[in-house]
Amino acid sequence: MDNISRCKEMVQSIYNSRDASHDIQHIERVYQNAEAILETEPEADGEIVRLAVLLHDVSDAKYADSKEAEERILRELDLTDEQRQHLREIIASVSFNGGNELEARTIEAKIVKDADRLDAIGAIGIARTFAYGGAKGRKLYDESEAARTQMSVEEYRTKSTASVTHFYEKLLLLKDRMVTDKGRQMAEQRHAFMVAFLEQLQKELDGHA
């Protein structure tokens, strides 16, 4: 069995235990986004990109308190030490971390970062935001809550802001943080859809729609 097939098999049960914002369907969509970007970046190592997509959330700090699952799977795959380290660096660079993100230094890291962020915006991004907020018992919105423009990783992770506030603290910022040409192109329409959604939501909250 090749590395991709083995990795898919090993991550399945982990993602199947997650809420709908970070389940196996999220991984499948990010994989699809990565394939679209890979078509425009022929110099990238496709196997590394695909493995990083499959692994990027197995030890997500929102669900796990250590990198144990990520490291266990990396050890079981047929990879060189250099490839394992490259994958660790890609995965570490994906997280937004309240704006305190690590730089994506390789084309593979840039592809995975954009592929994941595309799934955080647009119609799917809206659905995922409310799915995660519901799983965590968060408010839909809080009109008295100001979006934070500067925060530490710990502050970003620990404060339970309303789901709509999350759009202003992260999702609306992602379009301008895409790092591949294809990612930027794909982000445009998704960003516009979120803006239209928030405008309609505000009209309804104001009683004008």
Side-chain angles (χ1 to χ4, degrees):
M1 187 183 295
D2 63 71
N3 277 329
I4 304 296
S5 299
R6 289 172 66 196
C7 192
K8 284 181 178 178
E9 192 174 84
M10 286 187 280
V11 302
Q12 188 86 28
S13 62
I14 296 171
Y15 293 124
N16 281 340
S17 70
R18 303 273 176 83
D19 65 76
S21 69
H22 291 81
D23 61 5
I24 193 64
Q25 289 183 320
H26 163 60
I27 300 303
E28 290 167 352
R29 291 189 303 268
V30 176
Y31 200 96
Q32 180 175 285
N33 293 338
E35 293 287 2
I37 301 173
L38 269 169
E39 290 180 5
T40 68
E41 303 289 352
E43 75 279 19
D45 185 327
E47 181 184 41
I48 290 295
V49 168
R50 294 177 182 100
L51 288 173
V53 168
L54 292 171
L55 288 167
H56 81 275
D57 273 342
V58 292
S59 294
D60 189 314
K62 293 186 292 296
Y63 300 93
D65 59 7
S66 75
K67 291 282 189 181
E68 188 278 327
E70 178 185 312
E71 288 300 320
R72 173 178 54 80
I73 295 170
L74 284 174
R75 286 195 302 270
E76 293 185 31
L77 296 174
D78 184 17
L79 299 166
T80 65
D81 288 343
E82 183 179 4
Q83 287 172 319
R84 290 188 183 91
Q85 184 57 27
H86 190 187
L87 285 164
R88 291 185 191 102
E89 291 171 0
I90 293 172
I91 294 165
S93 73
V94 171
S95 292
F96 179 69
N97 285 334
N100 302 289
E101 60 194 276
L102 298 177
E103 181 185 356
R105 296 182 179 276
T106 64
I107 186 56
E108 292 81 13
K110 291 176 181 179
I111 292 170
V112 177
K113 180 176 283 221
D114 278 6
D116 183 58
R117 291 182 172 188
L118 284 166
D119 203 57
I121 61 178
I124 283 292
I126 292 169
R128 288 182 65 214
T129 297
F130 289 107
Y132 183 76
K136 297 297 182 181
R138 296 184 176 183
K139 294 180 181 180
L140 294 179
Y141 59 91
D142 184 343
E143 294 190 280
S144 68
E145 185 173 68
R148 297 165 294 174
T149 57
Q150 298 247 337
M151 66 196 108
S152 67
V153 175
E154 184 179 359
E155 288 168 338
Y156 177 68
R157 293 287 183 199
T158 56
K159 186 177 179 183
S160 295
T161 53
S163 291
V164 169
T165 305
H166 186 62
F167 284 84
Y168 297 95
E169 291 188 342
K170 177 184 177 182
L171 307 189
L172 293 174
L173 308 178
L174 296 181
K175 174 178 72 72
D176 293 332
R177 294 182 181 226
M178 294 291 167
V179 288
T180 66
D181 290 341
K182 182 65 173 180
R184 283 188 283 271
Q185 176 192 333
M186 293 172 72
E188 289 289 343
Q189 192 273 338
R190 298 186 188 211
H191 178 86
F193 187 87
M194 288 193 302
V195 171
F197 166 78
L198 290 169
E199 289 173 350
Q200 177 65 20
L201 176 65
Q202 192 60 54
K203 287 180 183 177
E204 294 179 18
L205 294 179
D206 292 341
H208 300 322

